[in-house]
């Protein structure tokens, strides 16, 4: 049974491992040079990175992000759906193999390969990117590179990609088991996986551990973005290296949540649609003089591993729940 299961998806596994291994080899060749550059330049590393290393940085993000989705789509979804579609599962069951053993063998081998592939990709990319991550978290520029807590980089670092791969694989298996058609299951898997990947950073991850809060004065010199044409919503950019800012709220002189007064927008755009920097600074100074401040809710850089382990637990829990669902479905609903 183990040998047969391996034969059924060994081609997909071989392609995945070959791609990951080739990319890991490229990172292994260039990684030591990047580490040496960081030791020589510190937090200014981001300004000294070559264009080829910059390309590898973004390619690493894409590879680690893509591995779980590809695993779910090409490994998980067809694994059982293909047998149900062709009817070959009856042959296995008629050879004295129970449904539970049949499912357990497929899930265990596939899941082991999935977490191994994702773990290799995440390990090598996290190692290679660590000098850039340390430079950014140490106060380096963030206009080109992401901090580790940024939602884009967070899912490509640490242990979270392993849990994502396990979840994506079992999600694909579950959809294949329910849909019973290979192509529809393969098409549905990345859609649902992407929906979960969008939902977690928006609503779940910020609440996994308690965030920090700070109040920033509104004054010239503090970078401020105007979010709408009426200037009723502003965003400040405080000096919080490596932090993930999850929300902001403008407070009035009484410390109550409030939008900036209409006079602020009149000040900004009363004279010109494109005010000068000096004019903007004067308007910001007037707003600060009225007692307005900005409350910033954020996770500091030190929360990285706490959030990593918490999210890993959630995805592994979802994978286990889907595994239980698959076991129930194959015993109670599948004929």
């Amino acid at each position: 049974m183990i040998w047969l299961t391996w034969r059924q998806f060994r081609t997909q596994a071989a392609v995945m491992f070959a791609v990951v291994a080739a990319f890991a080899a490229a990172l292994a060749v260039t990684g030591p040079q990047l580490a040496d550059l960081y030791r020589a330049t510190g937090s200014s590393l981001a300004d000294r990175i070559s264009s080829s290393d910059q390309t590898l940085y973004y390619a690493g993000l894409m590879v680690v992000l893509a591995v779980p989705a590809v695993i779910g789509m090409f490994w998980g979804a067809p694994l059982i759906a293909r047998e149900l579609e062709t009817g070959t599962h009856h042959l296995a069951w008629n050879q004295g193999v129970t449904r539970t053993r049949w499912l357990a063998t497929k899930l265990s081998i596939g899941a082991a390969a999935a977490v191994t592939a994702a773990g290799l990709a995440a390990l090598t990319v996290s190692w290679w990117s660590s000098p850039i991550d340390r430079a950014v978290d140490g106060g380096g520029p963030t206009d080109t590179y992401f901090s580790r807590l940024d939602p884009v980089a967070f899912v490509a670092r640490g242990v979270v990609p392993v849990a994502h791969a396990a979840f994506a694989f079992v999600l694909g298996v579950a959809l294949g088991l329910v849909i019973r058609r290979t192509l529809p299951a393969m098409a549905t898997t990345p859609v649902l996986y992407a929906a979960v990947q969008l939902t977690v950073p928006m609503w779940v991850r910020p609440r996994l551990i308690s965030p920090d809060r700070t109040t920033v004065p509104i004054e010239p010199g503090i970078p401020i973005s105007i979010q709408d044409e009426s200037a009723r919503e502003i965003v400040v950019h405080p000096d919080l290296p490596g932090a993930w800012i999850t929300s902001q709220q403008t407070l009035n002189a009484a410390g109550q949540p409030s939008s900036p007064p209409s006079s602020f927008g009149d000040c900004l755009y009363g004279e010109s649609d494109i005010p000068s920097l000096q004019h903007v600074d004067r308007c910001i100074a007037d707003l600060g003089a009225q007692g307005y401040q900005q409350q910033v809710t954020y996770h500091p850089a030190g929360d990285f591993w706490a959030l990593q382990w918490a999210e890993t637990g959630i995805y592994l829990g979802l994978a286990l729940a889907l595994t239980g669902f698959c076991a129930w479905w194959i015993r109670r609903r599948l004929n």
Side-chain angles (χ1 to χ4, degrees), residues 309-328:
W309 288 116
E311 185 163 323
T312 296
I314 288 176
Y315 274 95
L316 291 179
L318 290 173
L320 287 174
L322 284 173
T323 299
F325 169 80
C326 290
W328 174 82

Side-chain angles (χ1 to χ4, degrees), residues 7-204:
R7 283 198 53 155
Q8 288 177 327
F9 87 112
R10 63 181 177 181
T11 301
Q12 302 99 303
V15 172
M16 171 68 75
F17 278 104
V19 171
V20 171
F23 189 71
L27 295 182
V29 170
T30 59
Q33 182 180 357
L34 188 62
D36 291 340
L37 184 61
Y38 172 74
R39 283 190 287 269
T41 59
S43 60
S44 62
L45 169 69
D47 296 324
R48 306 283 299 277
I49 295 176
S50 66
S51 59
S52 59
D53 283 343
Q54 188 178 82
T55 300
L56 279 175
Y57 174 82
Y58 288 105
L61 291 174
M62 296 302 298
V63 167
V64 181
L65 289 172
V67 164
V70 172
I71 284 174
M73 182 177 182
F74 291 99
W75 291 13
L79 190 64
I80 289 180
R82 183 170 47 219
E83 294 211 34
L84 298 180
E85 193 171 16
T86 59
T88 56
H89 61 291
H90 292 297
L91 177 62
W93 295 351
N94 289 332
Q95 299 299 318
V97 178
T98 65
R99 299 185 181 200
T100 302
R101 180 187 169 193
W102 181 75
L103 176 65
T105 302
K106 289 180 173 294
L107 284 177
S108 59
I109 293 177
V115 299
T116 301
L120 176 61
L123 177 64
T124 53
V125 169
S126 296
W127 167 77
W128 186 92
S129 302
S130 59
I132 301 176
D133 294 338
R134 291 197 298 270
V136 173
D137 289 352
T142 58
D143 53 342
T144 305
Y145 304 99
F146 303 102
S147 70
R148 291 191 305 168
L149 280 178
D150 186 278
V152 175
F154 184 84
V155 293
R157 302 285 188 269
V159 296
V160 160
V162 174
H164 288 178
F167 166 72
F169 174 75
V170 183
L171 175 65
V173 172
L175 289 173
L177 189 59
V178 173
I179 297 174
R180 304 183 66 160
R181 295 292 183 271
T182 303
L183 290 180
M186 291 176 66
T188 307
T189 298
V191 174
L192 289 184
Y193 176 74
V196 174
Q197 286 290 79
L198 291 174
T199 300
V200 169
M202 292 178 64
W203 290 293
V204 179

Side-chain angles (χ1 to χ4, degrees), residues 278-322:
Q278 294 81 2
H279 184 75
V280 170
D281 284 345
R282 187 172 73 249
C283 296
I284 291 174
D286 291 342
L287 184 64
Q290 297 176 51
Y292 283 86
Q293 296 179 310
Q294 195 80 353
Q295 185 182 75
V296 179
T297 303
Y298 68 99
H299 286 285
D303 284 353
F304 175 78
W305 280 110
L307 289 170
Q308 279 271 317
W309 288 116
E311 185 163 323
T312 296
I314 288 176
Y315 274 95
L316 291 179
L318 290 173
L320 287 174
L322 284 173

Side-chain angles (χ1 to χ4, degrees), residues 265-276 279:
D266 296 338
C267 177
L268 284 176
Y269 304 113
E271 296 182 2
S272 172
D273 291 337
I274 306 178
S276 66
H279 184 75

